[in-house]
Amino acid sequence: MRWLVGWSSTAARALGAETAGATGYDGETLRPVGSHLLWGDPDPLWAVGDWRPDEVRVVHADAQNRIAVLGICGASDEELRRGLFTARGGALRHLTAWPGSYTAVVQAGRRITVCGDLAGARPVFHAPWEGGTAYATAALPLADLTEANLDFGHLAALLAAPEVPAALRDTTPYEGVRRVAPGHALVLRAGAREIAGYEPVASLAVAAPPADPDRAVDAVRDALVEAVRVRLAAPRHVPGLDPGPVPGMGPAERRAARGMPVPGIGADLSGGPASGTLALLAAGLPGRPGTLLGHGTGAGERLLAVTFNDLAVGGREAELERAGALAANPRLHHVVVTGAEDTLPYADLDGPLTDEPGPSLVTAARHRTRLAAGSADHFTGHGARQVLDAHPARLADLLLDRQRRHLVRPVAALTRADGSVLVPARVYGAARRLSRTPYRTGLEALAERLMRRRFDEPKGAVGASLAALTWARPGPAARWLTGEALAEVSVLLQTGADRAAGGPGQRPGEFRARTVLARQAADLRVLEQAAEVRSQRLHAPFLDNQVVRACRDLPEALRVKPGARSAVLRTVLEGAGVTDLPPGWGTPSHASSAAAARTGLRLAADSLVDLFDTPLLADAGLVEARVVRKALREAAAGEPLPLDGLADLVSLELWLRRLLARRGTCWTGTPARARAVPAGIAPQRGALRAGATPSNRS
């Protein structure tokens, strides 16, 4: 893991610029383990972890005014200096408008500003400490610093309503550690904190002026090309020297066996439109897009394209054929990684502790198999579906903007999928109800559903669309929570409804799309940590600020057309000079991933039942062990249960066990007991109520 951490104290301490840290136990200086000091007291900042030299930049205007940028940022030092001067006046948005994926920290006197991103892939956390405020880009270091216990209310909301901000609020799994919402910045003034939004808020009273579709798609193309180009312009990294030959193994096999990526740049090539677009863009841009000549691959400057072929589950033959056709590009070096039953979901549940829980923990080993054959800098298409596709609730946005005619194509596609002549009336009626439903009413309806345990939803593509036409809906794991847990989340939603009389300031479709994007970005962050290959960086350009902004400007009428994502990406590639795409490119496919999850669950059913023999989730009062064991057996036998809900339960149980089994802490100057959740989880009733007290919501 890599993060930055610092604090803003209430009073300045007279320490030198080269030293920083508070006095810990036995007079030892309190500072992060494995850290590099960026600037010192009174408001120190550290970079922690295996940051590359080019990923950490600090630009000084004078001793009291400076900016630090950590990550991939396309701004020059002069642009950073101008951004620093502008930020001193209070303007923040420009700090997030440079190409790349990064975190910017500005110090102007005693004022510290830390900017989060729009998607939520690079979040910012904060917690009260020593009369001031500590902040970090990871929650666990702050939990260690404050010896935080688990926030059971947050864990319950994470299972019952993972895409409802009113339930999750700004909490984290650690009590007292808070999250800055996407699109916001943390501003600290001598220890006092403030959360400031940096994105303009659109008016709900007046519809936005109609956007030109061609110009909007051109903006997406420019943002994507710039996002790829800024990564190609970064220095190349060689993961390390090969320790030597192994009998019967070539250089590539030795690297994979030792968990070392190939030097240079590569990309996923699944056959889908997102990964294919990034691979072709990276291979086609001027410069040296691929692997380094003379470092073992024999590929020269060709881009390393990695395709995963699941031999245990079929259904992806068409995608694999398209990936092979794309790999015929002479600037691509194609590698196919095969996986058997040992790479299915749930097959290998050993892994490192991540900062937060996420459903990708059950598939981390599967992804690690693919990434181990990848490059030191590896492009992935994660986030493309969330930023480009139209959430079904956007149909209500079209009605609010009086654009009913644009409902014809998506409704016709659903009618063809279902075969019923009643589909148009059902979909239009649901969209019309949502467009007339206040946000507060939507939260109250969800609270009522949780209290009465109403989780049945219509089946099929039409049923999924109808279920999504609402302000808020239960999570897939909610049906297995205890009545107490559901009651606590229901109370949180009722409280959120009382506070949200004016609504979230967005249309329902736009609001739901942003919450889904935040959920995906958070899970990608967990995946990066759980499937991490040493010396490798995963790049998700679709989650860059400028790409997210460009995608948000796409007109609703263009978004809701069937096949809009592949059409937009095809136009992006045509604008970059790539036209020879294989037949069927962009055809969506989800059946293979669902089949892999069900097969993996069936093969791992016995070990999963043993995992929930005495689960920590039951000690926390979130589930009853026998209920979850029964659900696992039924799902393994082929019952139509929501598999993503079971993945949520298994991943959270795994994360709790790893958290309680860890030793040590993220800080020096503290005894071994000074870490998060020092007392563990004691079986008790009313644990959730303790995690939702007003003092914890402040």
Side-chain angles (χ1 to χ4, degrees), residues 452-476:
R452 297 185 179 275
R453 305 186 71 92
R454 297 203 308 263
F455 304 118
D456 294 333
E457 294 179 343
K459 306 298 183 182
V462 175
S465 297
L466 293 175
L469 281 164
T470 178
W471 278 105
R473 60 185 296 192

Side-chain angles (χ1 to χ4, degrees), residues 567-592:
V568 169
L569 294 180
R570 186 185 295 271
T571 305
V572 167
L573 288 175
E574 289 175 353
V578 179
T579 57
D580 51 343
L581 298 176
W585 185 85
T587 303
S589 174
H590 308 289
S592 59

Side-chain angles (χ1 to χ4, degrees), residues 5 115 206 224 294 319 432 435 467 496 517 662:
V5 61
C115 295
V206 180
L224 265 180
E319 282 195 4
R432 191 165 180 263
S435 67
L517 174 61
R662 72 188 284 250

Side-chain angles (χ1 to χ4, degrees), residues 153-169 171 179 182 356-359 446 450 455 457 471-479 481 486 489 492-493 511-523 644-649 651-652:
H154 175 85
L155 298 180
L158 200 60
L159 294 173
E163 295 178 1
V164 184
L168 296 173
R169 302 160 290 157
T171 57
R179 180 195 315 271
E356 296 182 276
L446 176 58
L450 295 179
F455 304 118
E457 294 179 343
W471 278 105
R473 60 185 296 192
R479 66 188 62 217
L481 296 187
L486 293 176
V489 178
L492 290 176
L493 290 170
F511 174 74
R512 288 297 307 278
R514 295 194 183 203
T515 60
V516 171
L517 174 61
R519 169 78 163 160
Q520 166 67 16
D523 193 46
D644 45 356
L646 292 174
D648 289 343
L649 288 174
S651 60
L652 183 51

Side-chain angles (χ1 to χ4, degrees), residues 193-208:
R193 65 181 180 274
E194 173 191 353
I195 307 298
Y198 54 75
E199 285 293 282
V201 179
S203 172
L204 292 179
V206 180

Side-chain angles (χ1 to χ4, degrees), residues 53 180 365 392 533 558 693:
V180 177
V533 176
L558 172 64
T693 57

Side-chain angles (χ1 to χ4, degrees), residues 94-384:
H94 68 285
L95 297 175
T96 68
W98 297 308
S101 178
Y102 56 89
T103 301
V105 184
V106 173
Q107 183 185 47
R110 293 301 312 282
R111 186 179 67 188
I112 303 291
T113 303
V114 191
C115 295
D117 66 337
L118 288 175
R122 301 183 70 93
V124 178
F125 304 90
H126 62 92
W129 182 73
E130 294 291 325
T133 300
Y135 63 91
T137 53
L140 183 57
L142 300 183
D144 281 346
L145 183 65
T146 60
E147 294 187 279
N149 288 310
L150 288 171
D151 188 336
F152 297 105
H154 175 85
L155 298 180
L158 200 60
L159 294 173
E163 295 178 1
V164 184
L168 296 173
R169 302 160 290 157
D170 62 345
T171 57
T172 67
Y174 313 100
E175 195 173 33
V177 179
R178 297 288 183 257
R179 180 195 315 271
V180 177
H184 290 70
L186 174 66
V187 182
L188 305 173
R189 294 180 176 88
R193 65 181 180 274
E194 173 191 353
I195 307 298
Y198 54 75
E199 285 293 282
V201 179
S203 172
L204 292 179
V206 180
D212 180 32
D214 294 335
R215 297 183 65 178
V217 174
D218 288 345
V220 173
R221 180 200 62 210
D222 294 342
L224 265 180
V225 168
E226 193 61 28
V228 173
R229 181 179 284 122
V230 72
R231 290 165 170 87
L232 295 180
R236 298 292 187 270
H237 292 273
V238 178
L241 298 177
D242 192 337
V246 176
M249 282 190 178
E253 294 171 316
R254 291 200 303 268
R255 257 194 306 271
R258 290 165 175 160
M260 296 171 56
V262 176
I265 295 180
D268 285 339
L269 189 63
S270 66
S275 62
T277 296
L278 295 178
L280 293 174
L281 283 178
L285 289 177
R288 299 182 303 168
T291 55
L292 299 182
L293 190 63
H295 282 282
T297 66
E301 293 300 334
R302 290 189 291 167
L303 189 85
L304 180 66
V306 180
T307 299
F308 182 75
N309 183 13
D310 191 351
L311 301 180
V313 178
R316 295 189 61 243
E317 291 76 10
E319 282 195 4
L320 293 174
E321 289 181 7
R322 288 194 291 270
L326 291 172
N329 188 312
R331 300 198 72 178
L332 292 177
H333 174 61
H334 196 208
V335 173
V336 179
V337 178
T338 58
E341 290 184 352
D342 59 340
T343 62
L344 286 170
Y346 305 100
D348 182 4
L349 297 181
D350 292 331
L353 172 66
T354 56
D355 191 42
E356 296 182 276
S360 61
L361 289 180
V362 301
T363 59
R366 183 178 179 86
H367 289 283
R368 195 182 304 117
T369 300
R370 181 187 82 255
L371 296 174
S375 299
D377 289 277
H378 200 76
F379 286 98
T380 68
H382 289 284

Side-chain angles (χ1 to χ4, degrees), residues 360-450:
S360 61
L361 289 180
V362 301
T363 59
R366 183 178 179 86
H367 289 283
R368 195 182 304 117
T369 300
R370 181 187 82 255
L371 296 174
S375 299
D377 289 277
H378 200 76
F379 286 98
T380 68
H382 289 284
R385 188 183 310 279
Q386 287 73 27
V387 298
L388 287 172
D389 283 7
H391 191 281
R394 287 189 182 271
L395 299 179
D397 294 359
L398 291 173
L399 293 181
L400 287 172
D401 292 338
R402 301 182 182 276
Q403 300 185 39
R404 294 179 179 85
R405 66 185 185 278
H406 296 300
L407 271 68
V408 174
R409 289 191 179 183
V411 170
L414 289 173
T415 303
R416 288 192 298 270
D418 187 83
S420 172
V421 296
L422 300 178
V423 168
R426 295 171 63 196
V427 173
Y428 180 81
R432 191 165 180 263
R433 282 193 301 273
L434 177 58
S435 67
R436 297 184 175 188
T437 301
Y439 177 63
R440 176 174 180 172
T441 304
L443 293 183
E444 291 173 344
L446 176 58
E448 182 71 13
R449 286 189 65 181
L450 295 179

